[in-house]
Amino acid sequence: GVSGLLRRLARLEDSRQRAAELFRWLLAPVAPAEFLRRHWERAPLLLRRGDPGYYAGLFSTAEFDAALRGGEVHFGTHLDVTSYAEGVRETHNPSGRALPAVVWDFYQNGCSLRLLCPQAFSPTVWHFLSILQEQFGSMAGANTYLTPPGTQGFAPHYDDIEAFVLQLEGKKHWRVYRPRTDAEVLPQFSSANLTQAELGEPVLETVLEAGDLLYFPRGFIHQGDCLPDAHSLHITVSSYQRNSWGDFLEKLLPAALQMALEEDVEYRRGLPMDYLQYMGVANSDTVDARRTAFVEKVQSLIKKLVDYVPIDAAVDQRAKSFLHDCLPPVLTQSEKAQSVYGFPARWQDGGPCNVDILITKDTEVRLLCHGVIRLCNEEAGVMLYYTTENSRVYHKEEPKFLELDPEYTDSIEFLLSSYPNHVSVANLPCETLEEKISLATLLFEKGILITKKPLAKI
């Protein structure tokens, strides 16, 4: 089951290796390389495992019930109550807390239940997604869907995410359809609800049973309904929302244009005084040498813009957004003992004890995980963005960052390139020992660095 898998992954020192191994397990027996070549962004994949316990421990109806009983689930924010009958999709959310008596009454009357952020209520789902997000380099999210026997909760539609459907309990009948037009291939946004008449024939029709997996790319229309003899609980793991080349260029091109305006007078010269007379849609069929010259000028400026594109800086801005999207890392027992989260500061015998974090030149340190930080050079200075203080609820917290003295940049890069190996504080490329210890202490206090051995014992 999943608990055993996570324990095995915890023994791997490198977070990138943990992510790769989890991805391999998710797709088994299909190799990740084959999946990426044949299916990713191209075609659905169905895996019948014949192993009902494959996902055991990831999430269950019992955990769903426990989350409701915890009293922190709210309609609309965390839970949607839905139905789909005779071609009509409805949402039945009351206001306020989703109390068990109300939620289970909806379910008993044929409504589906969608838990929008199971990672906020399930430590296992949080742990699972926090590892997987490093494989994608893009937010890994999840929804869980509990559907009563003989019902359907949602209309046919397509999504703007890569979807991995993991069948946890029961079974569900699925139909998947190709994008209807070229414009719907890998769309930027999800569709509205569609009707059966708009769909055509499915390219894949199947009944998922516990332990099975169904993947489909964004833009593939899908619908799932329960058979009369069984309920269904599945979790949809998602990624790659707004993570296309086009989304990257949205960051890159404005930055390139700003740089061109600052550095090249050609971009600052005025437009021709008479250009409104011969340009525009009303003049598009006019044969005019001035139109030709105008178009050629625009084309030359666009081509020249390539010389100004700050590709690495734009990548850092994308990475900064990704770190804001990220779930906080889940620490193994040894990582906790070697981090600030396991540091034994406490109130005892009438006062605080074990308070001082005593990092020395001989202390050996490393990053908690490779994806925990991103160094960005910004107008305001050098910023180090990090994920350790993020929330399990999407964007509940503002982006977390430290403003660093530029002279610390080499040390951050050294820690990144050294990972997953430990390095002694004395080897950090700062000018003075005081600066080395100061930087290491700051990063340790933020949970970014862990030590090879616990700094203090209780």
Side-chain angles (χ1 to χ4, degrees):
V2 173
S3 297
L5 168 71
L6 294 175
R7 282 196 299 272
R8 292 195 301 276
L9 293 179
R11 293 197 286 267
L12 300 174
E13 288 292 315
D14 193 328
S15 62
R16 295 165 296 187
Q17 193 178 350
R18 288 181 197 170
E21 287 300 315
L22 180 55
F23 191 52
R24 187 183 305 280
W25 174 89
L26 183 66
L27 297 170
V30 173
E34 180 186 352
F35 168 76
L36 293 172
R37 185 174 65 253
R38 296 181 56 187
H39 297 279
W40 179 251
E41 295 190 329
R42 291 182 178 86
L45 171 67
L46 170 64
L47 295 178
R48 296 187 187 281
R49 293 202 171 96
D51 180 3
Y54 196 78
Y55 304 124
L58 180 56
F59 195 75
S60 66
T61 45
E63 288 178 85
F64 203 131
D65 183 61
L68 296 176
R69 292 178 180 280
E72 297 302 319
V73 179
H74 287 72
F75 288 110
T77 305
H78 308 117
L79 182 72
D80 283 332
V81 179
T82 68
S83 65
Y84 179 74
E86 298 179 356
V88 178
R89 154 82 160 82
E90 292 185 278
T91 300
H92 307 280
N93 292 341
S95 59
R97 288 185 177 178
L99 299 176
V102 178
V103 173
W104 294 129
D105 184 59
F106 275 123
Y107 177 85
Q108 197 165 270
N109 283 285
C111 291
S112 288
L113 307 174
R114 174 171 65 180
L115 189 61
L116 296 167
C117 51
Q119 60 271 25
F121 304 99
S122 164
T124 307
V125 174
W126 167 30
H127 197 173
F128 189 90
L129 296 177
S130 72
I131 295 173
L132 199 57
Q133 66 192 5
E134 196 163 341
Q135 173 69 23
F136 291 122
S138 175
M139 176 190 166
N143 291 332
T144 60
Y145 299 82
L146 180 60
T147 311
T151 68
Q152 181 171 334
F154 293 87
H157 65 282
Y158 61 76
D159 291 316
D160 58 351
I161 45 92
E162 302 297 303
F164 298 82
V165 177
L166 285 60
Q167 189 70 27
L168 304 177
E169 295 176 11
K171 53 188 176 181
K172 199 166 200 177
H173 171 232
W174 283 89
R175 285 167 284 176
V176 181
Y177 310 78
R178 290 192 186 283
R180 298 170 300 173
T181 65
D182 288 346
E184 291 180 357
V185 174
L186 304 178
Q188 277 191 295
F189 304 102
S190 299
S191 73
N193 294 331
L194 304 173
T195 65
Q196 294 294 144
E198 296 176 274
L199 301 186
E201 292 298 314
V203 293
L204 187 152
E205 184 167 7
T206 189
V207 174
L208 283 192
E209 299 190 4
D212 293 346
L213 178 139
L214 174 62
Y215 159 81
F216 43 84
R218 54 197 191 276
F220 274 72
I221 299 164
H222 52 279
Q223 58 179 328
D225 59 276
C226 264
L227 302 175
D229 61 337
H231 79 283
S232 168
L233 177 70
H234 78 264
I235 186 168
T236 298
V237 174
S238 62
S239 193
Y240 261 60
Q241 186 177 50
R242 301 301 303 271
N243 199 42
S244 67
W245 284 104
D247 296 306
F248 173 62
L249 291 174
E250 281 185 348
K251 288 278 189 189
L252 180 64
L253 294 181
L257 186 56
Q258 185 59 43
M259 196 172 293
L261 281 164
E262 291 172 4
E263 296 185 11
D264 191 333
V265 70
E266 286 302 307
Y267 290 87
R268 302 197 298 271
R269 295 194 190 282
L271 291 160
M273 285 187 184
D274 59 350
Y275 82 103
L276 296 178
Q277 298 172 21
Y278 53 83
M279 297 307 299
V281 175
N283 301 306
S284 59
D285 294 328
T286 305
V287 177
D288 190 318
R290 294 173 301 172
R291 277 185 62 83
T292 303
F294 190 96
V295 170
E296 288 176 351
K297 179 65 175 179
V298 171
Q299 290 172 339
S300 72
L301 289 174
I302 290 174
K303 287 177 183 176
K304 199 176 180 184
L305 202 58
V306 173
D307 298 334
Y308 298 97
V309 287
I311 296 175
D312 287 321
V315 167
D316 285 339
Q317 289 304 305
R318 290 283 305 176
K320 166 184 162 181
S321 297
F322 167 49
L323 260 66
H324 187 207
D325 296 342
C326 275
L327 285 163
V330 177
L331 279 65
T332 66
Q333 287 302 312
S334 62
E335 287 170 345
K336 185 174 182 181
Q338 295 151 9
S339 78
V340 70
Y341 299 108
F343 197 75
R346 63 184 58 220
W347 181 275
Q348 188 173 315
D349 299 328
C353 65
N354 291 327
V355 174
D356 296 331
I357 295 172
L358 299 175
I359 288 177
T360 71
K361 66 181 179 64
D362 298 318
T363 305
E364 293 182 272
V365 296
R366 66 159 223 195
L367 294 174
L368 172 62
C369 55
H370 191 268
V372 77
I373 58 169
R374 190 75 187 196
L375 197 61
C376 293
N377 231 327
E378 301 182 345
E379 284 186 23
V382 177
M383 305 296 179
L384 185 70
Y385 291 86
Y386 60 97
T387 65
T388 54
E389 295 176 9
N390 284 5
S391 169
R392 288 158 66 175
V393 176
Y394 179 71
H395 284 193
K396 186 178 180 180
E397 301 284 341
E398 292 299 312
K400 303 299 180 185
F401 62 91
L402 297 168
E403 185 174 353
L404 294 181
D405 193 304
E407 67 189 34
Y408 287 144
T409 300
D410 289 345
S411 293
I412 300 299
E413 292 174 353
F414 177 65
L415 288 165
L416 280 164
S417 62
S418 300
Y419 181 86
N421 298 316
H422 291 82
V423 296
S424 67
V425 170
N427 287 334
L428 292 176
C430 299
E431 285 191 12
T432 67
L433 179 59
E434 183 182 358
E435 288 174 340
K436 297 172 198 260
I437 292 173
S438 175
L439 177 62
T441 303
L442 173 64
L443 298 179
F444 182 84
E445 289 174 344
K446 290 296 182 182
I448 295 167
L449 284 189
I450 59 174
T451 56
K452 193 169 186 178
K453 297 177 182 178
L455 286 179
K457 292 181 180 179
I458 299 173

